[in-house]
Amino acid sequence: MKTLYVSDMDGTLLDNDSKVSSESAEIISELSRRGALITVATARTPATVELLLSAVTTNCPAIVMTGAAMWDRSEKRLVNARLFCKSDAEEILGQFRDHGINPFVYTVTSPTRLDVYYRGEMNRQENAFYQERRHLELKRFHIGANPDEDALEKVILMFSIGPSEPIERMAELLRKRGGCSVSCYPDINSRGISLIEVFVEGVSKRAAVMRLAEMVGAERIVVFGDNLNDLPMMDVADTAVAVANAFPEVKEKADIVIGRNSDNSVARFIAEDYNKLTL
């Protein structure tokens, strides 16, 4: 049975150092060379996905930015990008700023690069986020700058990270507004910190997994997750798998709970499952 394996990255495929271990990289690469359809579905952008998967061979696109686009790893380009219309981008950005939050505004300058705008003073979490990514090849930051008229027609994501209370309040306000897709979830590395991602309406890991499964002709979907933003794609999985370190809500939703992210549990599960299918 043709199976598509889709794993979240942080807290799931990545170890506690936020890396793909050499063992996991070797397992996934070997299975991919044998024909296994293995990929990731992540909130990350291509800039960090490509870096983290540099030692990993895969043979189908990565789902990036929570499903707002896919990243073709062989051609190094974004595909199926879902962009805001200019008026919605302006209105939502205004709502963020009216409530004291300055989001990172991601724009698709070309299929091979994102331009990211940030205006205002960064909090500690935003600054750490920026410092870790400022030199990445596939992403260019414009700090202290607003997106211009042209850039506002190419917005794919608005993102912020900070104390949970204002972030969660912002998420609720935007959900009530409607007309956009809002993902809000706790930071797995910092207690009391949450992240918010705002996309065009209809964007989710769920929708992207379904689209990718159709593209590759998969008859079965197996997904792996740990955080609340993984719940939507578990809804469409034939087998939903949670790692042992997942949030309680994710483990409750899962069909199977495996070992921790730090034990190469995702790669080992895929190897066992795929080998059974190909006996």
Side-chain angles (χ1 to χ4, degrees), residues 86 90 146-154:
K86 181 182 175 184
E90 288 177 315
N146 285 315
D148 60 22
E149 293 294 309
D150 183 55
L152 282 169
E153 294 181 346
K154 301 173 183 177

Side-chain angles (χ1 to χ4, degrees), residues 233-266:
M233 69 176 177
M234 287 186 160
D235 286 334
V236 296
D238 296 285
T239 303
V241 183
V243 285
N245 51 284
F247 280 85
E249 298 94 324
V250 179
K251 288 193 280 189
E252 182 179 345
K253 182 83 170 180
D255 300 304
I256 301 171
V257 178
I258 58 176
R260 299 184 64 83
N261 67 307
S262 54
D263 295 330
N264 302 296
S265 301
V266 169

Side-chain angles (χ1 to χ4, degrees), residues 170-172 174-175 180-184 196-200 203:
M170 188 74 245
E172 184 60 27
L174 288 173
R175 288 184 180 122
C180 58
S181 181
V182 182
S183 181
C184 183
I196 182 173
E197 302 156 351
V198 185
F199 308 97
V200 67
V203 164

Side-chain angles (χ1 to χ4, degrees), residues 221-234:
I221 300 170
V222 179
V223 304
F224 304 83
D226 77 306
N227 209 331
L228 304 183
N229 65 333
D230 298 318
L231 292 173
M233 69 176 177
M234 287 186 160

